Amino acid sequence: MEKFPFEKEKPEIVIIRESEIDPKLSPKNEEKSIKELINYGIINLNKPQGPTSHQITDYVKKILNIKIAGHSGTLDPNVTGSLIIALGDATRIVHHLLKAGKEYVCLMHLHKEVKEKDIKDTINSFVKKIDQKPPVRSAVKRKKRKREIYYITILEIKDQEVLFKVGCEAGTYIRKLCHDMGQKLKTGAHMVQLIRTRVGTLNDKSWCTLQELKDAYEYYSEGNEKELRKIIQPIETAIEHLPKIWVNDNAVNTLCHGADLAIPGVSKITSNINNKDAVAILTLKDKLICTGIANMNSREIKKSQKGITAKTKKVFMKRNTYKTTKPQG
């Protein structure tokens, strides 16, 4: 079953207190203008072979004529596929995508011929928590660490070539995984080609190329924003994998000022919140206000009458988007 941990059980939405959208506080139209999206959205870019992730991010900045952009999860120059680029004020959201699960399609070459059954049995034995030491050429300290392989699907075996899809915890080195598989098979193996097909909930279905982005921006410059809207996704797309808390309209502006979220402000929650989890805090219109760290689990939130539900960490919504005259709790 090709699922990341957050997908294995669909969380329920638990109503804490019935709330309605307050027309006096919330904006009548929260659809972002294309200019806002360019400075507050994300792009799922199909990175080509050759340039570094940093170079690709620079290309995106030049195409969109913006000063700030950041990518989530570096891809080696020879690796292609999903590179998530956050634009402008959305760059701080990449922290949550860095920790999201990743999926790759990998072509591995075995150094000797092996029975197909042995290949399958060995590869499938890696679907678990494994000890992995980063390769010599890596950006992190070389020490053993635990990484979980969520699933592996063998797509094709031809002679000494093995094509497989792997879903894994962030920070897993697929090149090293191939090496370790080869060691266990007692044949040796190396990675020939790698494509990242998924980051969190963002997959190859929403990919765009640099050329498509450039063409879409030229259309926008000529007055047609339709194609660019297809490419730039709202920031909320980047937090779909997180547990969520929705708040009453009169609590929004308080959070925009950086306050922690107290129980009276909570309207509804997902049932999968654990203490210390990263959570997304949303308006009743499903717009991201901020991210935070849960101070209670879902059961405690439902039972409690007072206390801090989540500690605010990063605020994304601008102050006074919800028109209160002063912060309210």
Side-chain angles (χ1 to χ4, degrees):
M1 187 177 294
E2 296 178 351
K3 290 186 177 182
F4 292 164
F6 71 90
E7 296 174 304
K8 289 181 178 178
E9 290 186 16
K10 188 174 181 180
E12 297 178 3
I13 294 179
V14 180
I15 304 297
I16 303 301
R17 53 186 55 81
E18 295 290 344
S19 304
E20 293 184 358
I21 295 169
D22 189 338
K24 294 179 181 178
L25 298 179
S26 63
K28 290 182 180 179
N29 181 13
E30 287 198 20
E31 183 182 16
K32 295 181 178 72
S33 69
I34 192 66
K35 287 184 178 180
E36 287 177 301
L37 282 174
I38 291 172
N39 193 50
Y40 192 60
I42 61 171
I43 294 173
N44 183 9
L45 194 90
N46 183 3
K47 177 191 169 296
Q49 189 174 28
T52 66
S53 298
H54 181 72
Q55 287 173 323
I56 292 293
T57 304
D58 280 343
Y59 296 157
V60 169
K61 288 194 290 186
K62 289 174 183 176
I63 290 171
L64 297 178
N65 194 27
I66 58 176
K67 293 181 179 179
I68 301 173
H71 63 80
S72 172
T74 301
L75 288 176
D76 290 344
N78 288 330
V79 177
T80 63
S82 186
L83 182 67
I84 310 302
I85 299 179
L87 311 174
D89 293 339
T91 52
R92 291 172 301 143
I93 205 66
V94 298
H95 168 76
H96 295 290
L97 285 169
L98 284 170
K99 297 182 178 181
K102 309 292 193 296
E103 181 187 85
Y104 300 87
V105 171
C106 175
L107 178 62
M108 177 175 68
H109 177 76
L110 302 177
H111 298 169
K112 296 178 182 178
E113 290 189 4
V114 189
K115 291 180 181 178
E116 188 169 304
K117 182 180 184 304
D118 292 340
I119 295 172
K120 290 180 177 178
D121 289 346
T122 297
I123 288 178
N124 289 329
S125 73
F126 279 81
V127 182
K128 60 182 180 181
K129 288 187 177 180
I130 61 172
D131 288 315
Q132 192 178 69
K133 190 174 183 179
V136 175
R137 294 182 181 180
S138 63
V140 298
K141 189 175 180 179
R142 297 193 70 229
K143 62 179 182 179
K144 279 189 178 181
R145 53 189 189 170
K146 292 281 186 184
R147 287 295 180 268
E148 186 171 0
I149 307 300
Y150 303 134
Y151 57 83
I152 298 179
T153 302
I154 298 172
L155 302 174
E156 186 177 355
I157 299 174
K158 186 177 182 181
D159 300 325
Q160 291 167 229
E161 308 289 334
V162 183
L163 185 68
F164 64 90
K165 182 189 295 182
V166 54
C168 55
E169 185 178 354
T172 304
Y173 287 89
I174 307 303
R175 188 183 304 276
K176 185 66 169 58
L177 182 66
C178 290
H179 174 270
D180 293 345
M181 288 175 175
Q183 291 286 93
K184 190 167 184 179
L185 281 165
K186 297 181 180 180
T187 63
H190 67 272
M191 185 183 83
V192 177
Q193 189 176 1
L194 187 67
I195 304 170
R196 186 158 69 192
T197 51
R198 188 177 173 198
V199 177
T201 60
L202 294 155
N203 58 35
D204 52 0
K205 293 179 181 178
S206 61
W207 271 353
C208 80
T209 64
L210 281 170
Q211 187 60 53
E212 288 170 335
L213 177 64
K214 186 176 181 181
D215 290 345
Y217 190 77
E218 288 180 2
Y219 287 136
Y220 162 64
S221 300
E222 295 168 359
N224 181 357
E225 62 184 46
K226 182 179 178 181
E227 295 304 314
L228 197 57
R229 278 193 178 274
K230 290 180 183 178
I231 290 174
I232 303 179
Q233 302 181 54
I235 193 172
E236 286 78 14
T237 311
I239 50 88
E240 286 182 358
H241 62 291
L242 295 180
K244 297 173 183 64
I245 302 174
W246 290 264
V247 302
N248 304 318
D249 285 351
N250 65 358
V252 174
N253 209 36
T254 305
L255 296 169
C256 291
H257 281 77
D260 294 334
L261 176 59
I263 284 288
V266 177
S267 175
K268 54 186 178 179
I269 60 174
T270 52
S271 59
N272 59 338
I273 299 172
N274 294 307
N275 194 14
K276 307 296 184 183
D277 274 354
V279 294
I281 301 174
L282 309 171
T283 71
L284 294 174
K285 292 183 178 179
D286 295 324
K287 302 301 178 184
L288 179 64
I289 306 164
C290 60
T291 57
I293 301 298
N295 200 47
M296 304 177 180
N297 62 35
S298 296
R299 186 179 299 176
E300 290 169 335
I301 295 171
K302 188 175 180 180
K303 289 182 177 180
S304 299
Q305 298 297 316
K306 60 181 181 179
I308 299 299
T309 305
K311 294 183 179 295
T312 299
K313 289 296 179 183
K314 294 182 180 180
V315 177
F316 293 91
M317 183 172 284
K318 291 181 179 179
R319 294 178 181 181
N320 299 320
T321 299
Y322 277 54
K323 298 177 183 179
T324 52
T325 55
K326 61 180 181 179
Q328 298 180 30

